[in-house]
Amino acid sequence: MDIPPQPVAPDTASAPASHATPPADGPPRLTRLTFHGPLSEARATELVRRLATPTTGTVLDLGCGWGELMLRVLEAVPGARGVGVDLNGEDLARGRRNAAARALGERVEFVEESAAATQRGPADLVLCLGASHALSASEPPGHTAEALRELRRLVADGGRVLLGECFWEREPSAAELSRMWPEAKVTDQYDLAALVDLAVASGFRPEWIETAGLDEWEAFESAYQADVEVWLAEHGDHPLAAETRERLDRHRAQWLGYRGILGLAYLTLVPVVR
């Protein structure tokens, strides 16, 4: 899950460095993240408990990254099959390695392709964790409504959608917006009530509404940069040091700017039978 302006994608908690492949001569990439977003182990366990039912035969993970939550659902439902769709080949390769290590390689496929207008549904469980932007070409917040319509198309009647979507915990001031991503606007996000109303208007009923806590955000954002920060402290004269330092400092300033203001909702949505 990316964070605006590259919208959030879930997947937190630290994973062994061997689960990701760092570049041969440069900073490592995301080796401390199990989930690519503000998602704790406790919340992930509860989500899997709720979503991994005997009727969950197929799982579709859109903007999957390395698909950690999907793999956990497949572990919990013997015989279920999954497809993860993403454009990042490195993340997909990590997902394939993790699936093989857990003897899930025969039940999951990681596909490098766009999720836009995908024909890979309908599925019993559709995961879209911080990846609604992958389903629409519209600018925020209009992409959310289009993504919800697509998710209704892609989920089977009687199934579930787990949507991870950003929202404003409170309306930011102009000064606060200036510290976030470039050209951040109040209109970039809905508040939580408006987001849930939009899901209802798009053909869903909200079975469960929950939001990432500040501790989950801080764990995610710290782990997102931690390995690279350590690398930079030890490689200040590396040819990549200057651009790495600029990128780290910019990202840290942005997330500290939206800390406590930008939220992430996890909505478990039930499709209304048409």
Side-chain angles (χ1 to χ4, degrees), residues 28-116:
R29 180 178 180 272
L30 306 183
T31 65
R32 300 206 195 185
L33 289 177
T34 297
F35 303 99
H36 198 311
L39 179 63
S40 65
E41 283 287 342
R43 191 184 305 279
T45 298
E46 183 60 21
L47 285 169
V48 171
R49 186 197 66 77
R50 193 183 317 131
L51 296 171
T53 70
T55 60
T56 306
T58 53
V59 183
L60 176 62
D61 193 349
L62 301 168
C64 64
W66 51 86
E68 176 64 22
L69 195 66
M70 173 176 64
L71 294 180
R72 294 188 184 199
V73 171
L74 296 181
E75 285 182 307
V77 187
R81 304 186 68 85
V83 176
V85 176
D86 204 288
L87 292 173
N88 189 305
E90 184 178 345
D91 286 349
L92 293 168
R94 177 175 172 179
R96 294 185 192 105
R97 291 194 300 272
N98 290 351
R102 288 140 90 167
L104 294 171
E106 298 300 313
R107 292 202 279 132
V108 66
E109 182 180 9
F110 287 92
V111 184
E112 188 171 350
E113 65 184 29
S114 171

Side-chain angles (χ1 to χ4, degrees), residues 19 22 28 59 64 151 218:
H19 285 195
V59 183
C64 64
L151 292 169
E218 290 178 342

Side-chain angles (χ1 to χ4, degrees), residues 28-263:
R29 180 178 180 272
L30 306 183
T31 65
R32 300 206 195 185
L33 289 177
T34 297
F35 303 99
H36 198 311
L39 179 63
S40 65
E41 283 287 342
R43 191 184 305 279
T45 298
E46 183 60 21
L47 285 169
V48 171
R49 186 197 66 77
R50 193 183 317 131
L51 296 171
T53 70
T55 60
T56 306
T58 53
V59 183
L60 176 62
D61 193 349
L62 301 168
C64 64
W66 51 86
E68 176 64 22
L69 195 66
M70 173 176 64
L71 294 180
R72 294 188 184 199
V73 171
L74 296 181
E75 285 182 307
V77 187
R81 304 186 68 85
V83 176
V85 176
D86 204 288
L87 292 173
N88 189 305
E90 184 178 345
D91 286 349
L92 293 168
R94 177 175 172 179
R96 294 185 192 105
R97 291 194 300 272
N98 290 351
R102 288 140 90 167
L104 294 171
E106 298 300 313
R107 292 202 279 132
V108 66
E109 182 180 9
F110 287 92
V111 184
E112 188 171 350
E113 65 184 29
S114 171
T118 182
Q119 298 302 307
R120 293 192 174 272
D124 299 317
L125 173 61
V126 181
L127 305 176
C128 184
L129 302 176
S132 59
H133 60 287
L135 297 174
S136 170
S138 296
E139 293 297 317
H143 73 289
T144 305
E146 291 187 14
L148 281 162
R149 288 194 291 270
E150 277 291 277
L151 292 169
R152 181 60 190 90
R153 178 179 69 84
L154 292 167
V155 65
D157 288 346
R160 295 293 186 273
V161 167
L162 177 62
L163 174 66
E165 188 76 350
C166 286
F167 70 97
W168 291 132
E169 295 271 10
R170 62 171 175 80
E171 185 173 305
S173 68
E176 289 168 333
L177 287 166
S178 71
R179 294 194 292 270
M180 299 182 191
W181 52 93
E183 301 181 7
K185 303 182 293 295
V186 170
T187 54
D188 285 346
Q189 313 292 337
Y190 295 101
D191 64 22
L192 182 58
L195 176 60
V196 174
D197 286 347
L198 187 61
V200 171
S202 301
F204 293 101
R205 302 301 302 181
E207 181 179 15
W208 211 268
I209 301 169
E210 55 194 306
T211 63
L214 187 58
D215 56 340
E216 290 175 291
W217 274 102
E218 290 178 342
F220 165 61
E221 291 288 8
S222 294
Y224 187 86
Q225 306 218 132
D227 280 331
V228 187
E229 293 282 14
V230 172
W231 177 90
L232 183 62
E234 298 171 350
H235 297 83
D237 58 351
H238 192 281
L240 296 175
E243 65 181 75
T244 301
R245 183 179 300 106
E246 191 278 333
R247 174 170 55 84
L248 288 173
D249 291 348
R250 180 178 66 249
H251 182 86
R252 186 188 325 103
Q254 289 176 359
W255 87 259
L256 290 174
Y258 57 68
R259 177 182 178 275
I261 303 172
L262 183 71

Side-chain angles (χ1 to χ4, degrees), residues 3-22:
I3 305 299
Q6 325 135 317
V8 185
D11 276 40
T12 40
S14 58
S18 60
H19 285 195
T21 304

